Structures are given as structure tokens and as C-alpha cells.
Amino acid sequence: MFDHAYGSYMKYAYPADELMPLSCKGRVRGQEPNRGDIDDSLGKFSLTLIDTLDTLVVLNKLDEFENAVRKAVKDVRLDNDVVVSVFETNIRVLGGLLGAHVMADLLRQRGERMQWYQDELLHMAKELGHRLLPAFNTTSGLPYPKVNLRYGVLNPLSRTGTESDTCTACAGTMILEFAALSRLSGESVFEEHARKALDVLWERRQRGSDLVGTVINIHNGEWVRRDSGVGAGIDSYYEYLMKAYILLGDNVFLERFNIHYSAIMKYISQPPLLLNVHMHNPTVSVRSWMDSLLAFFPGLQVLRGDLKPAIETHEMLYQVTKQHKFLPEAFTTEFRVHWGQHLLRPEFAESTYYLYKATGDPYYLRVGQSIVEKLNAYARVPCGFAAVQDVRTGTHEDRMDSFFLAEMFKYLYLLFSEKSQLPINMDDYIFTTEAHLLPVSLSTTQPPCQGNITTITFSQEEDLFTHSCPSTETLFPNNPSFAKTIRDSYKYLTGVGRAFHPLPVRYDSFMCERKGVYRVKLVAEVSHTTEEEEVIPHVVQLISPPFLGRTVLTAGPAKFGMDLTKQEHGVKGSIVKASPYTACGPVENSAELKGHIALALRGDCMFAVKARRLQEAEAIGVIFIDHREGSNSDETPLFQMVGDGDSTEDITLPLVFLFSREGGVLTAALEDHHNVDVLLLSKERQLGNDKSERPVGMNIKLRLAEEEELDEGATRGPTLELVLEKGEVLIGEDVDVGQQRSQQNKMCTKAAENVEAEASSEDSSKTPHSNSETDTKP
């Protein structure tokens, strides 16, 4: 699998940053349609090659590694006039260069190969580090989110430096790479800046809850988004506090991590779920869905030694993958798809690897096997592996991110490998968040930077594991069933492959073998199902000449702003493009937008941020257009736009979302006719249909029980009862007792067969609605 992915990149894409596996060509920034923030990873520095270098060593491909290092040294330039993400460039490129340098240095010391190597990768890493440093030129010490590799920040030629916000993970995920660079190069400036950024985040935590928010202002340190979780926007900040202690041996990082971890387990972890809460009021959950990036957290909990919740959350994630083939980019707390994309993210495989190493339970090898099989079945294409645009439809996206090679294959290969099969001892290294390898010996063999040691006084209550990672051999000796006993209660969480639970009284002993007349109650417990969150389609109808209402574009709704389903005649107005088109900076054409419906491009900031800016410009509505080239409502399910974690009650505009193809129709109309009037309204209104009353869904569970048992539990909520009295028969009316017994025995035999069939399919990964299954439940 690795050879297919890496070979396709080298054959069809190199020296481009990424492979486009459907087009069988490289993605070069500026030559392909702009994808907004996604493209900030691309810096014209052969991203995928550099990100993959130390994976080649782990997979024992040492000849390929040596060739790849030669290519990187000869071909890669780091001074390109490109604006890149500081966070992504740090973890992927700087981390990739450092990990590869460590591997090259090790192979050189062994004397077998790489004898020509003269620390070229370390020199490249140092150059890149200096090119990232201008991002830290803020009053707070928090870095700008973007930097121009050639011109830095705030330079007239840099095209960046106007940003005011960054995510917590973006500012807090620098310490491993920057500290390693300082220790290896002897230049303390990198570690100093990374530590300063972590100090600011620590100081700005909410003191009552010890939680941090998701987005922070880089100039004044004020929180911009106050929702707190362990997924996107925060994830690797927590990871790097723990791993910085392991790599550098500085107690301050462990102390901070432990305080945060206690808060996470108090407010965010509700096993098996990981919620998002408001940092100032952490008992309030701010959204009903989880994102796939939190799948790394069970692995971090293993490092912490907290195995029980790690096993619980991992099992929940595994059940979601069984239901949807892959982890959707976001899924609801009822395990339905919220965002259907799957970008071949490695976090679930990462946690699977950690849990296998911690427990030795072969169950996790089977989980790894399922990951491998699904990647081959649903993501493999002739020129590599393609991301899945929507797990519900299986459509592909022309995208293979570099982390797929850097992380996914590394974790899967290590999961299935024995120590003796690996060219290095993995216990000597710590993984960065991009799975690059840094030696834990850095804390002892390389002196800490002058004036850069933080001291902190620990509380008196220290235990065996205060300064070390817990040993599973000490905690769980000779207990191979430890993980299984925890998993079992979550095994059928999503309803996939649900187990057969024996009835209180078995068919054979109760219904078929007893003699005489008896009374049976058939009880059905009735409960309302949780309604699937309905996405009501909206439309943008072009009503000015020459369209006159004949052009109708399908649009998605928002969870905030004006509710168009309650507007009988919709909202009408002329459309005007916002400037800037993303509406993430100050609006430059407020006078033109006043009294009109604004067009704005998705990306760069949250929908709610754009809506507030355009509302302040006195627009009367907003149409957001997807920045993903080629997306359309025929192939991609509609979704509801969500807010930014804060209250959105101040937003009163009507808001709708068009996919790229439909948006193209609208923007083309504007270019051709200049004055285009549209009507925004609910599709049901447009079609003239009233919203019909929907039937109530129910779950009905049946069980047989003794009459006495039923009487005792009669207060257990609403029930349906079928009572068979003396003289009544089960089948037909004109049947004698012998025939009745015969019919009963046939029923018992059939029921037993059904029970057996259901029990034998207990571990089936098919969904309950699979067309290929016949319904054999008794």
C-alpha cells in the first residue's frame, strides 16, 4: 500500500507538494483552483517528499530513504514567495526535516550508509526555522497564523500580517520542533519563542475551569471563540504539553498538562463521548457533534496511563467506522454523519497503535486490519489513494494529503511489526503530532538553552507516576481480558452488528416444555426515536429578466440567522459581491452592499464571522458559495451551516449556502447582467407545499416474561400488552390442543433457528438496513 501511494507521488507528482490521485498529476499552488485555507500547507517545497522521509526508514526502505534525502537536498527550496500556514509548515516540513536528519545521522553513525551526509537536512531545518520566526513578532508572543517564506510578515510584499486571530493548536504546537531545532543547532531563539507562546496560552486559560478556547487574538490575548474540546483547533496543544515533558524533561509542561487533563476529564470526557463545552461555563455543551481529529485523544490518554477512558472512546470511534466505513469529518452524538468528508486522516490508526502497545490485546490488530481493508476497498485508485468526499455516497476527492504517508502507514506498519523487524528502537523516540521521530535523549545529551528553564513547585501529593508514564505491567499484570471487559458495554453502541440478548425466560423451557395452561403477557416497550436532524432544502431563485424565476438553485440552510421556513414570501433583493470576497476582513464595499444580498466565498473564517461583518455593512441577506471546486448539490448532501461556538442570536440576516457549481451559475449571471434580483426562501415554499406532519418514529422492543414479573415492574413506563388467557389459542381459532401444541413447537423451532442466526451474525459489520440481508429476527 505504501509503495503504491509513495510510488504514485514520485511518478506523477514530484516535485509538486501533493499528488492529485484522480488526475494522476501534482498539485502546484497557483496552477489549480484555490481551495482557501487548505492550500496554506503548500509552499512549493515538495511537501509530501519531506513529510515522508522518516517513514521510509521505519518501513526499512533505506535505499529509497537515501535517494529521497539526496533529492530533498538538491531540489527543495525554502525561500519561495508563498504565504503558508505557520502551524502546518512547522509540523510537516520542519518536523519532517528534523525527523529525517535524526534518521540520517543514526544511519551514518552505524557506518553502513549515508556516509556522504553532512547535516544538510539540519541546515535546511535551521533556514526554515528562521523563515518562520517573523510570525512571532507580536506584542503577545503568540504567532501570526501565516507567514511569507521569502518576505515574512508585515512586509509590503508579504501579502500577510493582517490576521488578528489564531487557533490554540496553531500557537501551541511549536515546542517539540522548535525545541529540537534549538537543541540540535545550538540556537536558543526557536525554543524561547515556542515556550513564550505556551506561557501565554497557559496564562489565558479560564482560571475557574482550567480550560482553553479554540481561537485567540494574537495581539491582546483575548479569546475569540470560547468553545473548548479536544478536537479541531485545540487538539495538539494538549498533546504537546505532555510530549514536551517527555522530550525535554521540564516539569512545568507535565504540571500544566495534568491540570488541563483533570479539567478535560471533569467537563469534556463523558465516556465514550468527548464533548465541546463553553470554557467559562463548562457544564454547558455547545454543540451536538464531534469532529474526527479528536480520535488522537485515546492515544494521548495511553501515554498518560489512563487506559479505561481511552478504551471506551476508541471503541466508540471503532463502532462509528463500522457504521460509515471511515470516520466522517464530523458526526453527531447519536453517531450520524454531520460532515461526510474523510480525508484519510490517521488519528484513529494512531490511537489503535497506542492501545495495542499498552494492552497487547489482539483485538486492536483486528481493528488495524479493518482500517487496511477499508482503505484498499474504498480509497485506493489507480494513481494512489483518494480522500472520500462523502462517506454516505463513497464519492472521491482529488486529494491525497501528505499526512497520509507521514502518519497512516507509519502507525499501521508499527502496529503489525515486531521490534526485531524494525531498523530502530521505537522506545528511543517520541512522535510529533505529524508522527515525526525525535529522540528522547535530547533532554540529556543536548544542554537546555540558557535562561530557558522553567521551574515550578509540585504539590506534595505525588505518587509513583508523577514523573513517569505508568507501566501497564505494573497496573494490569496477567490480565488479558482487561480491555475486553471495558469494551463490551460499548460494543453495539451504534446498533451495527448488535448482539443477541437472551430473553428472561428461554423459549424451550418456558413456552415449549411446560405442561398445562399458563398465562403470557407479550410486552412492548415503546420509546420515541431521536429524530434525525432534518436539513430543509432552501433555494435561490433568479427572478429578474431574463431568468424570470425559471432558474432555481438548491441551497443549504443555516442553524442561525433568519428562519426562512417561517417567511411566507422569502427575502428578495439584488446581489452584490462582498469585498473581500471571503468577508473575513473589514468590508470594503459597505455602501454597495447596503440594502442588497451579499455574495461571500466560504473559507478563511467561520460563517458567523462573515455574517456579522456583512450584517454590519447593512446587507439584507447573505449567499455563501463553496470554495471547493466542482462541489454540487447532486453529488454532495446538503448540510446546515453552524455558528462559531458563541451565541449567534445577534445575527438576524437570512443565510443560505450554495455549492460551487450552483454558485458558478449565480456569479456568471451577475457578470453577464450586472443587476440580478434573487429570492431566498425555503424550497417547500417555492414549490407551494406546506410542511406536512411527519409520523412519530418508535422503537419497539419485545420480550416474554412471567406474569408475576410483569406485575412487579408494572410501573416501568408505557407498555403494550398482549394477554393470552385460558382457552385462547396461538394460531387460528378452530384448532384442538394437539394441533395447538404442534403449532407451538413449530414456533419454538423457528424461533430457536432465528436466535441462532442472529447470534451467529453478532460480529457482522453490515448495517441493519443492508439490502443484502434478510430479516431473520424472531
Side-chain angles (χ1 to χ4, degrees):
M1 290 170 70
F2 174 83
D3 287 344
H4 179 60
Y6 178 70
S8 295
Y9 167 74
M10 295 306 293
K11 179 178 180 180
Y12 299 112
Y14 182 80
D17 283 315
E18 283 181 356
L19 167 69
M20 298 172 69
L22 302 183
S23 306
C24 299
K25 65 178 183 178
R27 183 182 295 281
V28 178
R29 193 160 171 186
Q31 293 182 15
E32 303 297 331
N34 187 289
R35 300 177 298 169
D37 287 351
I38 300 169
D39 284 341
D40 289 342
S41 303
L42 313 180
K44 298 183 179 179
F45 37 35
S46 301
L47 171 66
T48 299
L49 177 74
I50 291 175
D51 217 1
T52 309
L53 288 174
D54 59 2
T55 304
L56 289 164
V57 176
V58 172
L59 271 63
N60 225 351
K61 295 180 173 294
L62 303 184
D63 291 337
E64 288 94 330
F65 173 71
E66 189 157 1
N67 290 335
V69 171
R70 288 185 187 276
K71 277 190 168 64
V73 170
K74 179 170 68 78
D75 298 340
V76 173
R77 290 180 60 98
L78 300 167
D79 63 347
N80 304 310
D81 180 12
V82 182
V83 175
V84 296
S85 160
V86 173
F87 166 75
E88 297 288 0
T89 305
N90 173 62
I91 65 171
R92 299 200 203 189
V93 187
L94 183 58
L97 291 169
L98 290 171
H101 163 69
V102 168
M103 295 294 104
D105 189 45
L106 177 70
L107 294 174
R108 178 177 61 185
Q109 287 177 31
R110 288 181 181 173
E112 298 167 6
R113 55 180 75 237
M114 302 295 295
Q115 297 305 300
W116 59 270
Y117 181 68
Q118 298 294 319
D119 296 345
E120 288 89 346
L121 294 175
L122 179 59
H123 298 314
M124 291 172 69
K126 191 162 66 171
E127 179 193 344
L128 182 60
H130 282 290
R131 294 188 180 280
L132 294 178
L133 278 182
F136 289 85
N137 188 20
T138 60
T139 52
S140 69
L142 295 170
Y144 280 96
K146 301 178 185 181
V147 69
N148 186 302
L149 289 174
R150 181 176 296 174
Y151 297 113
V153 177
L154 296 175
N155 183 301
L157 299 174
S158 69
R159 305 187 306 283
T160 188
T162 58
E163 303 88 3
S164 58
D165 306 331
T166 194
C167 73
T168 302
C170 302
T173 310
M174 308 293 291
I175 187 66
L176 293 189
E177 293 83 1
F178 269 41
L181 181 56
S182 283
R183 305 290 174 102
L184 292 168
S185 70
E187 295 187 23
S188 64
V189 61
F190 307 110
E191 186 171 339
E192 288 166 5
H193 280 298
R195 282 177 176 264
K196 177 70 163 78
L198 284 177
D199 289 344
V200 176
L201 292 173
W202 174 251
E203 288 302 317
R204 299 304 300 176
R205 77 190 186 283
Q206 213 291 318
R207 300 300 175 98
S209 65
D210 284 320
L211 295 173
V212 291
T214 308
V215 176
I216 193 168
N217 185 292
I218 58 176
H219 302 299
N220 60 25
E222 296 296 325
W223 290 107
V224 178
R225 281 185 54 195
R226 296 173 177 82
D227 50 319
S228 187
V230 295
I234 303 179
D235 49 1
S236 47
Y237 163 64
Y238 293 133
E239 178 186 4
Y240 269 37
L241 285 178
M242 178 68 172
K243 289 181 175 178
Y245 168 68
I246 298 171
L247 183 70
L248 306 175
D250 190 334
N251 288 342
V252 70
F253 298 122
L254 182 64
E255 175 79 348
R256 290 178 184 179
F257 174 80
N258 283 336
I259 289 171
H260 280 315
Y261 187 74
S262 295
I264 291 167
M265 298 311 291
K266 183 176 181 181
Y267 301 116
I268 291 169
S269 177
Q270 305 289 332
L273 307 180
L274 290 164
L275 306 177
N276 269 62
V277 300
H278 198 290
M279 63 183 287
H280 294 290
N281 188 5
T283 58
V284 175
S285 179
V286 296
R287 67 188 194 200
S288 60
W289 48 273
M290 296 172 279
D291 63 77
S292 64
L293 285 171
L294 58 73
F296 90 100
F297 197 67
L300 186 61
Q301 289 180 306
V302 171
L303 273 187
R304 172 67 172 68
D306 200 358
L307 286 191
K308 184 173 185 291
I311 291 166
E312 291 170 325
T313 297
H314 179 274
E315 183 61 24
M316 176 270 290
L317 295 168
Y318 183 41
Q319 295 303 321
V320 174
T321 66
K322 287 168 77 171
Q323 187 170 7
H324 301 296
K325 298 186 180 70
F326 299 103
L327 268 188
E329 191 71 350
F331 51 94
T332 69
T333 48
E334 290 86 31
F335 314 114
R336 293 192 297 271
V337 173
H338 183 73
W339 295 332
Q341 213 176 17
H342 175 72
L343 302 177
L344 310 179
R345 291 199 188 277
E347 286 78 14
F348 178 63
E350 173 186 359
S351 287
T352 303
Y353 162 71
Y354 276 109
L355 275 166
Y356 178 63
K357 290 301 173 186
T359 64
D361 190 331
Y363 177 85
Y364 295 109
L365 294 178
R366 295 195 292 275
V367 175
Q369 179 185 351
S370 78
I371 296 171
V372 168
E373 289 171 349
K374 284 166 182 169
L375 285 172
N376 276 322
Y378 303 110
R380 189 171 183 137
V381 293
C383 296
F385 289 80
V388 179
Q389 192 173 62
D390 195 295
V391 296
R392 291 164 291 196
T393 62
T395 52
H396 285 131
E397 197 170 333
D398 202 2
R399 177 174 178 182
M400 188 180 85
D401 286 86
S402 66
F403 53 66
F404 184 58
L405 287 161
E407 299 183 68
M408 180 70 85
F409 291 115
K410 201 174 283 168
Y411 287 124
L412 289 176
Y413 188 79
L414 289 170
L415 174 65
F416 294 112
S417 301
E418 300 296 333
K419 274 190 174 185
S420 59
Q421 298 171 316
L422 300 171
I424 56 175
N425 182 358
M426 298 306 300
D427 294 340
D428 293 338
Y429 300 89
I430 186 79
F431 287 115
T432 68
T433 196
E434 191 77 4
H436 294 305
L437 299 168
L438 298 177
V440 292
S441 60
L442 275 183
S443 62
T444 55
T445 58
Q446 304 289 338
C449 301
Q450 279 289 321
N452 213 19
I453 302 172
T454 313
T455 57
I456 195 163
T457 305
F458 273 85
S459 61
Q460 294 301 308
E461 295 180 13
E462 298 187 2
D463 61 25
L464 180 63
F465 302 125
T466 296
H467 300 279
S468 65
C469 300
S471 160
T472 55
E473 291 175 10
T474 304
L475 289 177
F476 315 110
N478 304 316
N479 187 3
S481 65
F482 170 76
K484 182 179 186 303
T485 55
I486 297 170
R487 282 195 307 267
D488 280 353
S489 58
Y490 298 101
K491 197 170 183 182
Y492 304 101
L493 198 64
T494 64
V496 177
R498 54 172 66 81
F500 164 67
H501 298 288
L503 297 168
V505 185
R506 293 182 63 83
Y507 284 105
D508 52 4
S509 62
F510 175 63
M511 191 171 175
C512 306
E513 292 180 1
R514 286 196 181 178
K515 296 180 180 179
V517 178
Y518 50 89
R519 184 178 180 199
V520 178
K521 282 187 182 179
L522 185 64
V523 178
E525 296 178 4
V526 182
S527 64
H528 290 276
T529 58
T530 307
E531 279 298 338
E532 180 114 16
E533 192 167 39
E534 185 183 25
V535 178
I536 298 173
H538 286 37
V539 296
V540 176
Q541 191 167 12
L542 282 64
I543 56 176
S544 55
F547 307 102
L548 302 175
R550 291 187 294 269
T551 301
V552 182
L553 307 173
T554 301
K559 281 191 173 182
F560 57 99
M562 181 187 292
D563 185 352
L564 286 170
T565 63
K566 296 177 181 175
Q567 306 297 315
E568 188 173 353
H569 303 295
V571 173
K572 184 174 78 171
S574 299
I575 56 174
V576 174
K577 264 190 180 182
S579 179
Y581 196 16
T582 59
C584 289
V587 177
E588 298 165 3
N589 61 336
S590 297
E592 296 173 52
L593 287 172
K594 185 175 180 180
H596 294 81
I597 293 174
L599 293 186
L601 189 68
R602 179 186 187 183
D604 289 356
C605 62
M606 304 292 287
F607 288 120
V609 172
K610 300 171 189 282
R612 287 191 182 95
R613 289 190 186 278
L614 296 169
Q615 183 168 284
E616 287 169 11
E618 299 186 55
I620 60 170
V622 183
I623 301 171
F624 295 110
I625 297 176
D626 197 2
H627 58 21
R628 291 180 303 127
E629 195 74 22
S631 66
N632 61 84
S633 60
D634 292 334
E635 298 176 359
T636 309
L638 290 177
F639 63 89
Q640 292 191 80
M641 294 179 284
V642 294
D644 55 4
D646 288 340
S647 170
T648 50
E649 291 180 4
D650 58 315
I651 300 174
T652 56
L653 288 171
L655 311 165
V656 298
F657 178 85
L658 292 177
F659 287 111
S660 171
R661 192 169 71 187
E662 287 81 359
V665 172
L666 193 60
T667 53
L670 187 60
E671 287 172 12
D672 292 343
H673 303 285
H674 304 297
N675 185 29
V676 177
D677 292 342
V678 298
L679 190 61
L680 311 181
L681 71 170
S682 166
K683 190 168 188 177
E684 292 175 336
R685 297 283 186 192
Q686 182 258 330
L687 295 173
N689 293 337
D690 290 328
K691 191 174 179 182
S692 57
E693 189 175 331
R694 301 212 318 275
V696 177
M698 292 183 179
N699 288 327
I700 299 181
K701 301 175 183 177
L702 301 177
R703 69 187 186 90
L704 293 171
E706 299 272 15
E707 184 180 0
E708 297 81 5
E709 180 192 341
L710 292 167
D711 291 339
E712 289 170 9
T715 57
R716 289 183 310 104
T719 61
L720 299 176
E721 297 182 357
L722 174 63
V723 181
L724 304 180
E725 299 286 2
K726 180 178 179 180
E728 291 180 343
V729 293
L730 289 175
I731 309 293
E733 293 185 358
D734 302 318
V735 187
D736 64 24
V737 174
Q739 287 174 313
Q740 182 178 335
R741 289 274 164 78
S742 171
Q743 293 282 10
Q744 287 177 355
N745 287 334
K746 286 178 184 175
M747 284 181 65
C748 294
T749 305
K750 181 64 176 171
E753 289 170 358
N754 289 339
V755 169
E756 257 183 63
E758 188 172 355
S760 68
S761 66
E762 181 175 323
D763 292 323
S764 167
S765 61
K766 289 182 181 177
T767 67
H769 305 296
S770 170
N771 292 331
S772 61
E773 280 187 311
T774 53
D775 189 359
T776 60
K777 292 179 173 57

